[in-house]
Amino acid sequence: MTKLTKRTIDATEPDPLREVYVADDEVTGFGLRVKPSGVKSYVVRYRTAAGQSRRLALGRVGVLTP
């Protein structure tokens, strides 16, 4: 886990086979998702009442800042 800074976000490269997720070590559940197409978004991970893990996209990098 790392702190999400502009430098960390810019350095994170897409993987052509899968999504890349980078978790923030200061804010629980907050992270960065990088799709194979290169689109970077901020996401929040949470659990439902049934215990299923979900990710909610907050917005794209560039539109929002961490």
Side-chain angles (χ1 to χ4, degrees):
M1 296 197 326
T2 59
K3 182 177 178 180
L4 287 181
T5 62
K6 180 168 176 19
R7 180 173 287 166
T8 305
I9 293 166
D10 291 342
T12 305
E13 296 292 326
D15 183 344
L17 302 177
R18 63 178 179 86
E19 287 186 353
V20 176
Y21 179 76
V22 180
D24 186 77
D25 60 357
E26 291 186 1
V27 181
T28 304
F30 183 68
L32 173 73
R33 176 180 66 191
V34 183
K35 292 193 173 198
S37 63
V39 175
K40 297 178 182 181
S41 301
Y42 298 111
V43 295
V44 174
R45 292 181 70 169
Y46 66 96
R47 292 198 176 269
T48 64
Q52 296 173 328
S53 181
R54 305 270 184 181
R55 288 185 188 162
L56 174 67
L58 299 174
R60 285 189 175 185
V61 171
V63 176
L64 297 176
T65 60

